[in-house]
Amino acid sequence: MSQTTFERAIKLAAVSGLKAALGPALLAASRNRPEAKMLAIAAMGEMVVDKLPYVPSRSSWPLLIPRAASGAYVANELGKEDPSSDPWIAAVGAAVAVGVGTFAPIIRGTLTHVLGVPNALVGVAEDYLALKLGAEAVGMDMERIGAIAKEAVGDLGLPVDKLYDEVAEQVRPILKSVGQSVGAGSM
């Protein structure tokens, strides 16, 4: 099924509401722009920093401003591809990004505090959702996005394979405990 420019813009603006750097990073990567690697590194950094306990909520005004700008930017850029696109596409993109940035922490809090889903699992699921939705919006597959991320990190001179192994080692126990919790809860 083909997506309209407006649908793609709204999806990418929503991604920008979750992760401000991710929308522009995916857009740049899909267009093979020179800044794609730098933006990929910024998006990955945001995904890490977002999980630190001292980082303020993305729904705070200072953190909604870059999300609004990012949502407006990606929507406007996609709108340029289609001369018949809505002239308000950038404004709608900003509003969608702010809305998602405001309500995502509420949903996350409900999942973790009310339903007891581990915060780390919710964070990883949110990142995956943002990547999947963004990939769909720009017409890329997840394998390509992974390759871009790996290449960008590799360009920094970091041992990517070792880094992957260390992250996987930390995530496995979380996934295992969630699997056990779900299994115990279904009895």
Side-chain angles (χ1 to χ4, degrees):
M1 179 171 77
S2 178
Q3 301 178 76
T4 67
T5 300
F6 189 79
E7 290 169 333
R8 293 174 55 229
I10 295 306
K11 284 180 183 180
L12 209 52
V15 167
S16 296
L18 290 171
K19 309 290 177 201
L22 188 56
L26 290 169
L27 189 61
S30 71
R31 295 176 171 180
N32 296 314
R33 305 270 317 251
E35 67 271 17
K37 288 181 186 177
M38 178 186 61
L39 287 168
I41 291 166
M44 289 183 285
E46 182 180 6
M47 286 180 183
V48 171
V49 170
D50 183 44
K51 296 179 182 44
L52 299 175
Y54 56 84
V55 174
S57 172
R58 78 189 93 194
S59 64
S60 65
W61 276 107
L63 293 180
L64 285 175
I65 293 168
R67 293 174 198 295
S70 178
Y73 170 76
V74 297
N76 189 58
E77 287 297 305
L78 286 171
K80 288 178 183 177
E81 295 175 358
D82 182 1
S84 67
S85 69
D86 189 327
W88 288 90
I89 198 165
V92 172
V96 167
V98 167
V100 169
T102 300
F103 288 106
I106 295 168
I107 294 167
R108 190 172 182 158
T110 300
L111 289 171
T112 57
H113 301 301
V114 177
L115 299 177
V117 179
N119 193 38
L121 182 62
V122 175
V124 169
E126 179 182 296
D127 291 348
Y128 180 79
L129 172 68
L131 286 165
K132 188 75 172 164
L133 189 63
E136 201 175 277
V138 297
M140 295 175 69
D141 62 31
M142 293 294 280
E143 285 182 31
R144 176 71 183 124
I145 291 172
I148 291 167
K150 194 171 184 176
E151 187 178 323
V153 173
D155 284 354
L156 292 175
L158 299 174
V160 176
D161 293 333
K162 183 179 178 185
L163 185 64
Y164 173 82
D165 291 340
E166 289 176 14
V167 170
E169 199 172 299
Q170 293 176 10
V171 170
R172 276 189 202 104
I174 295 168
L175 295 175
K176 185 177 178 182
S177 71
V178 169
Q180 290 171 347
S181 302
V182 171
S186 61
M187 291 182 177

